[in-house]
Amino acid sequence: MVKVGIIMGSDSDLPIMQEAADILNQFQIEYEIRIVSAHRTPHHMVNYASTAIERGLKVIIAGAGGAAHLPGMVASITTLPVIGVPVKSSNSVDGWDSILSILQMPNGVPVATVALNAAKNAGILAASILAIEDPRLSQELSLYKKQMEANVLEKDKKMNQ
Ligand code: RP5
């Protein structure tokens, strides 16, 4: 059953947003990946966000660049947790416009904003949310952290040789 919705404002966001899909694949989490634009397809966005719960989604990862209104608008419609990925797009001023558009939400409508282009972290955060009620996934995340630690310690060892 699809648990995570990965959405993005444009197909030009895909090279970044694919990283969220890749890590979800690694954790064997089912997801859907769609283009939903707040500005170009507003009715599609309202429909997507307002039917997300009944379709079984548990978390939404939303990426957009420039005047990045998609994550915030989706969060205004659904009660699901929304993770926002600011994308440094062709229309972006160094990424700051996307970061601030997604980060600076008003009280009452939070978006869990990750770093610029950090779709991989968005996928890991989505996995962490799902792991609250999934012992297998929790175990996988624990192994992932241990592996990361081992990798860094190995690099440290090599550097110190
Ligand atoms: C945003 O505008 C999209 O999320 C994308 O990051 C940016 C540019 O879109 P395109 O002009 O490449 O379609 O809404």
Side-chain angles (χ1 to χ4, degrees):
M1 191 170 171
V2 173
K3 291 195 173 140
V4 180
I6 302 174
I7 57 175
M8 63 204 82
S10 167
D11 59 346
S12 63
D13 299 318
L14 185 58
I16 294 298
M17 297 307 290
Q18 182 62 43
E19 292 179 30
D22 292 345
I23 194 81
L24 292 179
N25 278 330
Q26 191 176 322
F27 289 126
Q28 296 168 41
I29 296 169
E30 289 190 44
Y31 61 86
E32 61 182 17
I33 186 159
R34 310 275 301 269
I35 300 170
V36 179
S37 169
H39 303 123
R40 293 167 177 156
T41 63
H43 304 290
H44 178 43
M45 176 196 66
V46 171
N47 183 54
Y48 184 90
S50 56
T51 60
I53 290 176
E54 68 200 48
R55 292 188 301 104
L57 296 187
K58 304 292 183 209
V59 189
I60 294 174
I61 297 172
H69 295 130
L70 179 66
M73 286 308 297
V74 167
S76 77
I77 296 166
T78 182
T79 55
L80 290 176
V82 176
I83 304 170
V85 183
V87 175
K88 189 174 173 188
S89 57
S90 59
N91 62 330
S92 191
V93 183
D94 261 351
W96 279 111
D97 39 10
S98 330
I99 292 171
L100 296 175
S101 302
I102 298 176
L103 183 67
Q104 294 300 116
M105 289 296 291
N107 279 334
V109 192
V111 169
T113 310
V114 295
L116 186 66
N117 289 344
K120 181 176 184 175
N121 266 358
I124 295 170
L125 184 54
S128 302
I129 293 168
L130 295 173
I132 293 168
E133 296 198 340
D134 184 336
R136 178 206 63 88
L137 192 49
S138 181
Q139 177 75 7
E140 291 276 330
L141 279 166
S142 189
L143 287 173
Y144 181 80
K145 281 184 187 291
K146 284 200 174 80
Q147 189 60 56
M148 236 183 347
E149 184 178 31
N151 290 345
V152 174
L153 291 176
E154 181 61 27
K155 285 179 188 172
D156 175 49
K157 206 168 150 189
K158 275 190 189 148
M159 202 178 275
N160 197 33
Q161 271 169 5

